[in-house]
Amino acid sequence: MDILTKLPELRNVIREVRTSLHDGTHMSDVLDLVARKATEVLDARGALVRVINLETQQLEFCAAYGLDKSYLDKGPATNTALIAQLCERNEVAIIED
């Protein structure tokens, strides 16, 4: 996938998410939108959004699109090395599997 060809579509997605945030849309609905749009723009089979719970140090499920229920039922991610890396880099990670 050439990211440059996707730039106009990515801008539209960012605009749509920003509008949802400004309209007072509930955060869970915004995260559902992010998962759906990420799947569409990246031509992926699905997407999963997890957020780090600073108290438990686990990546907890927040939103998903296009994934099987059995995958979603696996529970929170507890790989502390991965979580520490993500916190240190302060960036989004796309994990292809």
Side-chain angles (χ1 to χ4, degrees):
M1 172 182 67
D2 181 18
I3 196 69
L4 293 178
T5 61
K6 295 282 188 174
L7 283 178
E9 193 173 355
L10 289 169
R11 275 194 287 274
N12 289 337
V13 168
I14 291 168
R15 200 173 295 124
E16 190 173 343
V17 170
R18 183 188 66 213
T19 300
S20 293
L21 288 168
H22 285 286
D23 287 347
T25 304
H26 194 273
M27 186 56 69
S28 64
D29 294 332
V30 173
L31 293 175
D32 287 339
L33 175 67
V34 168
R36 181 171 53 85
K37 291 297 185 174
T39 301
E40 293 170 0
V41 170
L42 297 173
D43 297 323
R45 291 179 293 174
L48 177 67
V49 178
R50 292 184 185 258
V51 173
I52 296 173
N53 179 326
L54 296 175
E55 291 179 14
T56 65
Q57 297 299 306
Q58 293 183 332
L59 288 170
E60 295 180 351
F61 169 83
C62 286
Y65 181 81
L67 299 174
D68 293 336
K69 183 171 174 17
S70 61
Y71 183 82
L72 299 176
D73 288 341
K74 289 182 179 181
T78 57
N79 184 334
T80 54
L82 173 63
I83 294 169
Q85 261 185 339
L86 291 172
C87 288
E88 287 171 8
R89 292 191 323 213
N90 195 28
E91 60 187 45
V92 173
I94 298 175
I95 301 170
E96 295 183 32
D97 58 0

